[in-house]
Amino acid sequence: MHRTLNARWFCKATTRIELPIFLCPSLGLASSYSPRSSVRVPSRTQDAPWPTTSSRRCLHVQTDPSIPLTPPPNPPSVLSPPTKSLPRQCRGCGALSQTSLPNQPGYFDLNRKAVQKYLGTDELPGRSRSEDKIYEDALRHLNTEELERQGVDVRALALSLPPTESRPQAPPPKPLCDRCHFLMHNHTGQSIYHPSVDSIRDTLLESPYKYNHVYHILDAADFPMSLVPKISHFLDTMPLRSKNRRSRTGRFYHGQKTEISFVITRADLLAPTKPQVDALFPYLREVLRDALGGLRQDVRLGNLRAVSAKRSWWTKELKEDIWKNGGGSWMLGKANVGKSQLFEAVFPKGRMDWKPTRHQITVDMEAQTREQLALPAMEDQDIVEDESAEPDELDDYSLLPLKPEETPFPEMPLVSDLPGTTASPIRVPFGNGRGELIDLPGLERSSLEQYVKDEHRLSLLMQSRIVPEQMTVKPGRSLLLGGFIRITPREPAPILLTYAFTPITPHVCRTDKAISIQNQTGEINVENIARPGAQEKTKLAGSFELKWDVTKQRTGPLTRKNAIGLSVEQLPYRVLSADILIEGVGWVEIVAQVRTRHLFGSKAPAETEDTAADPGLDNLSPMERFEAMAESASRKEKELPPPMWAGEPESDEPNWPIVDVYSPEGKSIACRRPMNGWLLNKPRVTAASQRSRPRKSMKGAKKREKQMRRAREAAA
């Protein structure tokens, strides 16, 4: 009753005001206007993919009581037609967009909110902008005095009025595919099938640019194990410059000139400061030269860089190098070496004011026709791409996707800890046509993650620099890494000092216990992160010799020139070392100190007829047998050569200490010359730590106090 009177009063009060009827549905109830619903609900058998709506707005009407108000089990969502289409590629992984295979890269779920917002289908047709504008105009042209006289709250209406000069909204960003979405927010996903070396080489040959530069990305955690296999296939078209001063800098193959540079990423894992990493360049160059093989011993390797995207070490110089080279810049490397993270750090953003220069001046000696003079000259002479081709046409046999539209600040590829995030080449142009930076999919790197439990897979990746603990491995003991990688010294074994630069936990125990832990049969409380059954595929990965001499670096003041100043040859011992590499995880530095006479002495000869036991000793008495053994021992001592302290070794190969490494399938293990990482990353010794004294031992304190008390009582 009260609602009807209020509606009639409000209708009479607003007869003098020109107010659209949809602003207040109650006005329609008091009038003879009977609205009808004009929204068509699409049926499941409808051919149109999107529902069609009428331009007439649906008003609120009273429902018929005879019709039951039971909602349908799955009401269809009324969406407006899409104003855009899906992007050609996913901006995160580079996979081509598709809506048919949900478990594959590049799949877009059309019911996801971000996808609907990008396509323009997230708003209902009843809330169109055109009708909202009518509402705003009606509120601005109302007579406020007349409304106040009728008892209408004008301030409440003014609060719903938007400002006249509204700031234009930015267009929605391109959405990620479902796989990249879950990688970014949930850290879950599956790796792609890694491409082969031949497919990457064929992709490079499809470059539309005349000048190309390949940046081979290497990971500092396991350098140089991340070197691409069969690198000689790439070096045939990208030859390295030799040490000869007359060697050529580059060559043209099939009308293209391609150069290569080696970039070591995550250099902050090697040392705490930038000057310390810069001092390692001679060492890094020699290690890379050893990894390239014997045929590459004469190369210069002046194109080696060590950068850190996390700390911005040398990234600015690399960015300027990419801008200066122009053309095609390619990021080549194995999976999970940090290509995408470096891509974002070195991409030249915001440079759109470049204009191509014309260095070469040509003079035509023959007359040209009017048609030839009317043709515009090409501005970019470096690009050999056919501009007449349709940009939307996609070649089914091409390994390189189409070039996207250039923007000053483009969206960068997705950075994730999952190996194999990039599924297809990602092309990002820069410099108003000057060139583009291309992120290639990563090659297969390591198979260790297949034998590790799912919850421990992220623990294989070294996230930050590690300060290791010095662990002593005595004879008869072994070093375990994560419970599934074992390092055992071979007998006769010296005392080893080990430093594990790995994110997985190291553990030292007896060799028999280490074998039981690795085989998952022991009851020792040591965590083994390997999957059940991985012990069946554990094999010997290799036997590595500690053959690099680090005596001068490890001795301290004995060989320092401003101290004692002894030479290494004058010392009665040698300090030997080697780095055991674990692919994709890190490295273990192993150091051993051996006597010089044991190192350069003669090896133990094999047992022959002369050295075999004399069967006649069994017929002698115990006293005669003892005298015969003493005479034979003295005779052997006279035959031994004098110890070689500073001379040449007697044999061709010294008696290097050897360590055996066991891993799943006997893979993902290598060895390199030592970097002396412990000397660079050991805990800092400060003045406060030097002044502090260790805690006094309380062992036997109560017993001594009791004895002293009894002695005092006896004396009294």
Side-chain angles (χ1 to χ4, degrees), residues 580-593:
I580 305 299
L581 301 176
I582 306 173
E583 190 172 12
V585 179
W587 75 95
V588 179
E589 181 180 353
I590 303 178
V591 182
Q593 178 177 322

Side-chain angles (χ1 to χ4, degrees), residues 30-252:
S31 62
S32 61
Y33 173 70
S34 60
R36 294 180 300 170
S37 177
S38 61
V39 178
R40 292 195 306 168
V41 179
S43 61
R44 295 185 179 181
T45 60
Q46 189 177 359
D47 297 334
W50 302 99
T52 58
T53 58
S54 175
S55 60
R56 193 173 186 179
R57 176 150 182 167
C58 175
L59 303 180
H60 172 72
V61 293
Q62 189 175 1
T63 58
D64 190 359
S66 62
I67 300 176
L69 299 177
T70 56
N74 294 321
S77 58
V78 181
L79 301 177
S80 60
T83 58
K84 294 182 181 180
S85 59
L86 288 174
R88 187 182 297 112
Q89 283 182 282
C90 172
R91 62 179 177 87
C93 62
L96 298 179
S97 301
Q98 50 95 11
T99 58
S100 57
L101 301 176
N103 297 328
Q104 296 298 327
Y107 174 76
F108 287 88
D109 186 5
L110 298 180
N111 294 326
R112 192 151 54 94
K113 187 175 181 180
V115 179
Q116 293 180 357
K117 186 175 181 181
Y118 176 76
L119 297 177
T121 60
D122 58 335
E123 295 184 358
L124 296 176
R127 299 183 59 185
S128 61
R129 179 58 186 166
S130 59
E131 296 182 351
D132 291 342
K133 188 176 180 181
I134 298 176
Y135 172 75
E136 297 170 6
D137 294 340
L139 290 179
R140 290 191 180 97
H141 293 85
L142 288 178
N143 189 354
T144 57
E145 297 180 356
E146 185 68 22
L147 289 177
E148 290 179 357
R149 191 178 300 108
Q150 298 294 336
V152 179
D153 191 359
V154 182
R155 294 183 179 181
L157 294 176
L159 292 176
S160 62
L161 186 65
T164 56
E165 297 180 358
S166 60
R167 191 173 183 178
Q169 297 181 357
K174 293 183 179 180
L176 296 171
C177 66
D178 288 9
R179 174 175 174 268
C180 295
H181 177 79
F182 290 122
L183 278 176
M184 176 181 291
H185 300 286
N186 301 334
H187 300 282
T188 58
Q190 297 294 333
S191 300
I192 63 166
Y193 295 101
H194 301 284
S196 61
V197 179
D198 297 333
S199 63
I200 294 295
R201 187 173 182 270
D202 295 339
T203 305
L204 290 173
L205 294 178
E206 293 184 3
S207 172
Y209 291 93
K210 184 178 180 181
Y211 296 97
N212 298 273
H213 200 103
V214 176
Y215 294 94
H216 188 355
I217 310 300
L218 306 173
D219 191 5
D222 59 352
F223 177 79
M225 287 195 72
S226 52
L227 191 70
V228 170
K230 300 180 182 180
I231 189 64
S232 58
H233 292 187
F234 293 95
L235 297 182
D236 292 340
T237 56
M238 300 171 257
L240 297 175
R241 191 175 182 184
S242 65
K243 295 181 180 179
N244 188 353
R245 62 185 180 88
R246 296 180 179 178
S247 62
R248 294 191 298 177
T249 57
R251 300 176 184 176
F252 280 87

Side-chain angles (χ1 to χ4, degrees), residues 396-467:
D396 296 337
Y397 300 97
S398 177
L399 298 175
L400 194 64
L402 296 177
K403 181 180 178 181
E405 183 181 357
E406 183 176 351
T407 56
F409 298 93
E411 297 170 338
M412 295 290 102
L414 178 66
V415 179
S416 175
D417 296 336
L418 178 72
T421 303
T422 306
S424 179
I426 301 177
R427 304 175 60 179
V428 184
F430 62 87
N432 194 14
R434 182 181 180 91
E436 59 181 284
L437 190 61
I438 306 170
D439 187 10
L440 294 173
L443 300 171
E444 187 176 4
R445 185 177 185 184
S446 175
S447 59
L448 280 180
E449 62 175 7
Q450 301 176 5
Y451 302 97
V452 178
K453 300 176 183 178
D454 295 339
E455 60 269 17
H456 294 284
R457 283 191 174 184
L458 293 180
S459 62
L460 296 178
L461 183 63
M462 188 186 298
Q463 301 285 353
S464 58
R465 184 176 60 91
I466 295 177
V467 180

Side-chain angles (χ1 to χ4, degrees), residues 322-461:
I322 294 174
W323 172 263
K324 181 180 177 181
N325 292 334
S329 300
W330 306 74
M331 292 286 186
L332 170 68
K334 290 188 177 182
N336 218 9
V337 296
K339 298 189 302 296
S340 300
Q341 187 175 9
L342 182 64
F343 190 99
E344 183 176 0
V346 301
F347 182 81
K349 307 180 185 69
R351 296 186 179 184
M352 298 286 292
D353 55 348
W354 176 79
K355 295 182 179 180
T357 59
R358 298 175 177 84
H359 297 286
Q360 298 180 358
I361 301 177
T362 58
V363 180
D364 296 330
M365 302 303 296
E366 298 180 359
Q368 297 181 352
T369 61
R370 294 182 179 180
E371 290 78 6
Q372 294 177 348
L373 293 175
L375 292 176
M378 293 180 63
E379 295 183 355
D380 194 354
Q381 298 293 337
D382 294 343
I383 301 179
V384 295
E385 186 179 8
D386 187 9
E387 298 292 343
S388 61
E390 184 68 19
D392 293 335
E393 292 181 358
L394 183 61
D395 188 3
D396 296 337
Y397 300 97
S398 177
L399 298 175
L400 194 64
L402 296 177
K403 181 180 178 181
E405 183 181 357
E406 183 176 351
T407 56
F409 298 93
E411 297 170 338
M412 295 290 102
L414 178 66
V415 179
S416 175
D417 296 336
L418 178 72
T421 303
T422 306
S424 179
I426 301 177
R427 304 175 60 179
V428 184
F430 62 87
N432 194 14
R434 182 181 180 91
E436 59 181 284
L437 190 61
I438 306 170
D439 187 10
L440 294 173
L443 300 171
E444 187 176 4
R445 185 177 185 184
S446 175
S447 59
L448 280 180
E449 62 175 7
Q450 301 176 5
Y451 302 97
V452 178
K453 300 176 183 178
D454 295 339
E455 60 269 17
H456 294 284
R457 283 191 174 184
L458 293 180
S459 62
L460 296 178
L461 183 63

